[in-house]
């Protein structure tokens, strides 16, 4: 930044060029940090330079008219802030893009200044490309990929030690080894999930491989829960060898998937072979389960007990298959040629980047979306700040708008807290700057020497010390910078305090008007919507499955694919709301562990619906028998589950007493057994494979019912006033 500033100020003697070169360096080197390999970072940096250049031109043209500059700032502010929901690349560049428009729209200048301003921005852009390539280049950062690979291996190791323990003499040494594998798997999944939630935006870009890897977070978390459930066998029962074979095949799939994640664009042959082995083991287990069905009327209760390990293995195989499919798509996307990438050709049935961006943005075009709220508030605040700065005639209106951007948060209280820190930091920076200027006098040479270390401190202080320290260092940087351009002494510091104070007032006003409640209330509403949509999806999946196995059933009331899309959109809104809740400053009235439990419950409910959908896709619907009674029992069970989660959602939004979790209905189990026994028997007198799938569908619904017990405590903590 000092080099670009010196080139414009001293060599070219062009203040406009020097100003845009200086602040362009801030925008493109201090306020943004793209992830990925060097090529990805360079591509993102070039896109930032080009977009910023467009903003410089548009901002300069709009700066001529007061009302136009305010409206343009609001429109651009909303577009930039809302676009951050699409990917981490756009989210991490938000401040830089806003600065690229704030600077020209607040520094009024004629169109004839556009070439000078573009030249300054271009110089800063060129310097940024050289800097990120040659000066301490950052290593490739793919925390989710490494974390997903480690979680796959840890879960596979846990499955293998469990199989060895179950099929052996169950010695103490094997039990100890299994406990160690369990702890390692839990830690690996926790590390992956923590890394996913470590930023206020999704830590992935829009590339196909990034979009497939981010799906693995929920899927591996869900798989860990399934593995835990599958290990809870009743004492005294012999090991189910076909179920253990499925678990072993699933472990092999996870290991081959981890191998593929460890390389870029690797050969998926071994993973495909492992998936084939898993499908074969699953088919053998289903045949074995069908053969164990009693022919007569006796023994159905005992059979249901013995069928539980098979269901757990079937559930686990689905989770492993989904994970393997996403890893396979990741590798396929990375193997594409440059031309295929350019043309947007996607492997499998994935959406194109444009389609994915449209889908993610569309999920937030909804009145309860926190991201939409924040984008509207930010746009209104920035537009109002430009208007106030122009109408009041302050000397440096740029800092009014930047002050608004710096302190605007998700609620009025936290905005107020940031206002205090911003003003305190600015005053401290002004005092230090005034003392320096008093000692230095009019010597700009010493100011040039001080500029680089002060910039370094301004960049490090916000993260290493505090927000207030960052404000102080940045104020000192500006005092030095403007005194080099046009020496004015300590007065520059006072101007900065005045401008920041105006910006803070605007920010507080917008916070009070647009969203005084903060992220807590929005989180409860997002949880409610996600649970309702996920429960509807599960009920729809059961209804569609019943139609597939019974042609005499009435058509489903909703499309299962539409339900899946709605549930996925609600989950994305919940994810972004949860991140906003985590990023919000101030004490959290609800323990974070309870909130995380509620968020994870949504993923489990939605993925259970995926499992039911896939379960019935393998049924050919040819088994003989009238399935009306069995269908009626399962639909009634699905309606009961959907009703409970609907009541939970209403309580999260409106308050009141939570409904007790549903108890295990043994009478309903008996009715389902009777229906299976009488309605789904083939010509040989033995129940069909469709009967097993109906029982497993009931087990998936029972898993959703058991989830009620898991989340009820967390729901009470969230809904109980602090």
């Amino acid at each position: 930044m000092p080099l670009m500033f010196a080139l414009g100020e001293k060599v070219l003697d062009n203040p406009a060029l020097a100003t845009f070169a200086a602040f362009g360096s801030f925008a493109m080197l201090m306020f943004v940090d793209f992830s990925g390999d060097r090529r990805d970072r360079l591509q993102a940096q070039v896109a930032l330079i080009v977009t910023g250049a467009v903003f410089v031109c548009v901002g300069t043209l709009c700066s001529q008219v007061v009302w136009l500059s305010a409206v343009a700032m609001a429109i651009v502010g909303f577009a930039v802030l809302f676009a951050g929901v699409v990917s981490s690349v756009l989210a991490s560049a938000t401040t830089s893009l806003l600065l690229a428009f704030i600077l020209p729209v607040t520094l009024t200048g004629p169109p004839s200044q556009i070439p000078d301003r573009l030249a300054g921005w271009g110089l800063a852009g060129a310097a940024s490309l050289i800097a990120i390539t040659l000066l301490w280049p950052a290593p490739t950062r793919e925390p989710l990929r490494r974390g997903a690979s480690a979680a796959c291996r840890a879960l596979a190791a846990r499955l293998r030690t469990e199989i060895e323990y179950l099929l052996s003499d169950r010695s103490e040494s094997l039990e100890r080894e299994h406990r160690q594998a369990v702890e390692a798997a839990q830690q690996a999944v926790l590390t992956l999930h923590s890394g996913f939630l470590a930023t206020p935006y999704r830590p992935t870009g829009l590339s196909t491989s990034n979009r497939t890897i981010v799906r693995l977070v929920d899927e591996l978390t869900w798989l860990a829960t399934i593995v835990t459930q599958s290990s809870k066998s009743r004492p005294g029962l012999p090991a189910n060898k076909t179920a253990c074979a499925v678990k072993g095949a699933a472990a092999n799939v996870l290991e081959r998937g981890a191998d593929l994640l460890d390389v870029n664009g690797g050969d998926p042959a071994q993973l495909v072979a492992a998936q084939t082995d898993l499908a074969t083991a699953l088919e053998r287990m289903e045949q074995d389960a069908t053969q164990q069905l009693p022919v007569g009327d006796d023994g159905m209760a005992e059979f249901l007990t013995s069928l539980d390990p098979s269901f757990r293995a079937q559930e686990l195989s689905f989770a492993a298959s989904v994970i393997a499919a996403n890893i396979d798509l990741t590798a396929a996307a990375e193997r594409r040629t440059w031309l295929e990438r350019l043309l947007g050709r996607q492997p499998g049935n994935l959406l194109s980047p444009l389609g994915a961006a449209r889908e993610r943005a569309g999920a937030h075009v909804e009145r309860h979306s926190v991201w939409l709220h924040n984008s509207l508030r930010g746009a209104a605040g920035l537009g109002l700040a430009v208007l106030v700065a122009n109408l009041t005639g302050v000397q440096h209106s740029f800092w009014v708008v930047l002050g608004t951007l710096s302190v605007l948060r998700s609620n009025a209280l936290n905005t107020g807290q940031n206002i205090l820190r911003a003003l305190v930091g600015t005053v401290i920076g002004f005092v230090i700057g005034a003392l320096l200027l008093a000692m230095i006098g009019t010597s700009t040479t010493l100011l040039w020497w001080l500029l680089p270390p002060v910039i370094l401190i301004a960049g490090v202080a916000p993260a290493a010390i505090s927000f207030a320290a960052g404000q102080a260092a940045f104020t000192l940087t500006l005092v030095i910078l403007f005194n080099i351009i046009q020496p004015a002494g300590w007065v520059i510091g006072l101007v900065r305090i005045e401008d920041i104070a105006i910006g803070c007032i605007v920010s507080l006003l917008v916070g009070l008007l647009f969203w005084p409640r903060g992220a807590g209330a929005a989180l409860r509403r997002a949880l409610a919507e996600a649970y309702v949509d996920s429960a509807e999806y599960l009920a729809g999946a059961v209804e569609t499955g019943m139609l597939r196995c019974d042609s005499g059933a009435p058509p489903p009331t909703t499309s299962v694919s539409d339900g899946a899309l709605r549930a996925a959109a609600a989950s994305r809104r919940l994810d972004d709301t949860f991140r906003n809740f985590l990023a919000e400053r101030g004490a959290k009235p609800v323990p974070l562990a309870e909130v995380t439990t509620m968020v994870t419950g949504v993923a489990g409910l939605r993925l259970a619906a995926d499992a039911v959908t896939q379960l019935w896709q393998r049924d050919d619907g040819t088994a003989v028998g009238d399935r009306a009674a069995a269908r009626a029992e399962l639909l009634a069970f699905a309606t009961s589950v959907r009703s409970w989660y609907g009541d939970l959602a209403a309580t999260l939004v409106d308050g009141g007493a939570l409904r007790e979790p549903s108890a295990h209905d043994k009478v309903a189990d008996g009715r389902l057994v009777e229906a299976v026994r009488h309605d789904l028997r083939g010509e040989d007198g033995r129940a069909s494979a469709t009967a097993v799938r109906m029982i497993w569908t009931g087990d998936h619904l029972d898993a959703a019912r058991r989830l009620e017990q898991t989340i009820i405590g967390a729901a009470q903590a969230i809904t109980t006033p602090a």
Side-chain angles (χ1 to χ4, degrees):
M1 182 273 204
L3 285 173
M4 294 301 97
F5 181 55
L7 179 62
E9 175 68 16
K10 295 299 182 182
V11 178
L12 301 178
D13 192 22
N14 190 324
L17 186 150
T19 300
F20 277 78
F23 286 103
S25 299
F26 273 120
M28 287 180 273
L29 285 172
M30 187 180 289
F31 294 158
V32 68
D33 183 21
F34 294 118
S35 60
D37 57 28
R38 183 177 298 183
R39 186 186 66 177
D40 289 340
R41 290 198 297 270
L42 287 174
Q43 288 175 343
Q45 197 77 11
V46 169
L48 174 62
I49 295 168
V50 173
T51 306
V54 174
F55 282 1
V56 167
C57 297
V58 176
T60 302
L61 294 175
C62 293
S63 68
Q64 308 302 305
V65 182
V66 172
W67 70 265
L68 182 59
S69 62
V71 171
M73 184 71 257
I75 293 174
V76 171
F78 175 79
V80 170
L81 292 170
F82 189 72
V85 77
V86 171
S87 77
S88 64
V89 175
L90 294 173
S92 61
T94 294
T95 303
S96 299
L97 290 172
L98 289 175
L99 183 60
F101 192 80
I102 289 171
L103 187 64
V105 85
T106 53
L107 297 181
T108 304
S112 59
Q113 274 195 4
I114 289 180
D116 293 338
R117 294 182 172 193
L118 279 179
W121 182 264
L123 281 174
S128 72
L129 291 174
I130 295 172
I132 65 175
T133 304
L134 303 177
L135 301 180
W136 209 349
T140 299
R141 298 187 301 278
E142 292 185 298
L144 290 187
R145 189 177 187 125
R146 293 195 301 270
S149 174
C152 285
R153 295 189 188 280
L155 287 168
R158 174 176 177 171
L159 286 173
R160 293 200 184 282
T161 58
E162 179 183 321
I163 295 169
E164 186 179 4
Y165 175 73
L166 291 175
L167 296 179
S168 67
D169 56 0
R170 306 190 181 187
S171 63
E172 290 186 4
S173 61
L174 288 177
E175 184 178 3
R176 183 169 56 254
E177 182 181 348
H178 178 52
R179 284 200 303 268
Q180 293 173 348
V182 169
E183 293 174 359
Q186 290 174 339
Q187 184 58 48
V189 174
L190 178 62
T191 300
L192 172 64
H193 199 258
S194 299
F196 183 63
L197 296 176
T199 60
Y201 48 81
R202 290 195 168 196
T204 54
L206 265 183
S207 69
T208 303
S209 58
N210 282 337
R211 286 185 281 130
T212 53
I213 287 175
V214 79
R215 298 178 184 176
L216 295 177
V217 178
D218 279 345
E219 292 164 0
L220 286 167
T221 303
W222 180 53
L223 176 61
T225 303
I226 294 172
V227 171
T228 300
Q229 290 290 336
S230 69
S231 65
K232 297 178 180 178
S233 60
R234 295 187 181 181
L237 286 179
N240 186 316
K241 293 184 179 180
T242 56
C244 286
V246 170
K247 289 183 179 181
N252 192 39
V253 166
L254 292 174
E255 288 170 342
R256 300 292 77 76
D259 292 341
L260 199 55
L261 282 174
D262 289 340
V263 297
N264 191 285
D267 184 359
Q270 291 186 344
L271 178 60
V272 172
Q275 288 176 278
T276 302
D277 292 342
L278 176 58
T280 301
L282 180 61
E283 184 179 356
R284 188 178 298 118
M285 185 190 70
E286 290 182 349
Q287 291 174 352
D288 181 69
T290 303
Q291 292 170 0
Q292 293 179 24
L293 281 168
V295 177
D297 293 340
D298 299 328
M300 284 300 293
E302 291 77 8
F303 167 72
L304 289 179
T305 300
S306 66
L307 195 60
D308 186 65
S310 298
F311 163 69
R312 296 297 173 194
Q314 181 270 335
E315 190 180 26
L316 189 150
S317 71
F318 166 74
S321 298
V322 170
I323 290 169
N326 273 330
I327 294 174
D328 193 9
L329 284 174
T330 301
E334 292 167 343
R335 290 194 303 270
R336 291 175 300 169
T337 65
W338 178 84
L339 181 59
E340 288 174 332
R341 293 171 188 265
L342 180 65
L343 296 176
R345 293 179 180 173
Q346 301 298 302
N349 58 354
L350 285 180
L351 294 173
S352 66
L354 181 59
R358 186 165 53 246
E359 183 182 71
R360 275 199 56 77
H364 287 270
V365 183
E366 199 271 342
R367 63 191 184 94
H368 295 137
S369 168
V370 171
W371 203 289
L372 179 64
H373 288 181
N374 282 343
S375 300
L376 289 171
R377 292 169 59 256
L382 293 172
L384 184 60
V386 169
L387 181 63
V388 170
N390 286 331
L391 293 179
T392 55
V394 294
Q395 185 174 349
H396 296 291
S397 57
F398 168 68
W399 298 113
V400 176
V401 185
L402 195 61
T404 302
L405 177 66
S406 298
V407 302
L408 193 61
R409 289 297 186 267
S410 66
N411 63 39
L413 174 63
N414 286 326
T415 297
Q417 293 172 346
N418 281 327
I419 285 173
L420 180 61
R421 286 192 289 268
L423 290 178
V424 168
T426 300
V427 170
I428 292 174
F430 158 66
V431 171
I432 296 174
L435 292 175
L436 281 176
L437 292 175
M439 291 185 293
I440 293 174
T442 58
S443 174
T444 57
T445 302
L446 287 176
L447 293 179
W448 277 107
W449 281 104
L450 285 172
L451 187 58
V454 170
I455 292 173
L456 175 62
I457 296 172
V460 172
I465 306 176
S466 68
F467 176 72
Q471 287 291 105
F474 205 54
T475 297
L476 182 57
T477 301
L478 298 176
V479 169
I480 293 174
L481 190 65
F482 282 109
N483 270 283
I484 291 175
I485 296 175
Q486 188 176 4
W490 55 269
V491 176
I492 291 293
L494 286 181
V495 171
R496 165 111 164 114
I497 293 175
E498 175 192 19
D499 295 345
I500 289 292
I502 294 174
C504 289
I505 292 171
V506 172
S507 175
L508 181 60
L509 177 62
V510 172
L512 285 168
L513 290 177
F514 277 74
W515 193 11
R517 295 182 298 168
L523 178 63
R524 289 194 296 273
R525 184 174 292 278
L527 279 167
E529 292 178 351
Y531 272 110
V532 166
D533 288 340
S534 297
E536 291 282 353
Y537 173 33
L538 176 59
V542 173
E543 188 177 7
T544 301
M546 296 304 96
L547 175 63
R548 186 179 183 87
C549 75
D550 189 353
S551 58
T557 55
T558 58
S559 167
V560 68
S561 59
D562 290 344
L565 290 175
R566 284 194 298 271
S571 294
R572 283 192 290 269
R573 290 194 297 271
L574 173 60
D575 175 61
D576 292 318
T577 306
F578 184 37
R579 293 175 186 282
N580 192 83
F581 177 80
L582 293 174
E584 188 176 63
R585 297 178 184 270
K588 300 289 191 297
V590 180
L592 185 57
E594 310 292 356
V595 178
T596 303
T597 297
M598 293 293 293
V599 174
T600 304
V602 170
L605 191 61
R606 181 166 58 90
L607 291 170
D610 289 338
V612 173
T613 300
Q614 189 193 69
L615 175 65
W616 285 103
Q617 287 174 348
R618 296 197 301 274
D619 188 85
D620 57 12
T622 59
V624 297
D626 180 9
R627 303 159 189 179
R631 185 186 75 245
E633 290 297 331
L634 288 173
L635 292 179
F637 195 178
T639 300
S640 174
V641 169
R642 177 171 53 189
S643 173
W644 190 91
Y645 285 104
D647 290 346
L648 169 68
T651 304
L652 287 173
V653 175
D654 302 325
L658 285 166
R659 176 177 158 187
E660 287 297 318
S662 306
H664 184 197
D665 192 344
K666 294 184 178 180
V667 176
D669 283 349
R671 290 197 302 266
L672 179 58
V673 169
E674 287 296 316
V676 168
R677 184 172 61 189
H678 292 295
D679 297 353
L680 294 169
R681 198 178 298 281
E683 294 179 354
D684 58 356
R686 186 178 297 278
S688 66
T690 301
V692 176
R693 291 194 175 91
M694 281 195 159
I695 293 172
W696 281 346
T697 299
D699 287 335
H700 280 298
L701 288 170
D702 195 55
R705 181 198 61 78
R706 291 196 306 272
L707 180 63
E708 300 170 10
Q709 294 282 358
T710 303
I711 66 175
I712 187 67
Q716 288 172 342
I718 290 177
T719 55
T720 301

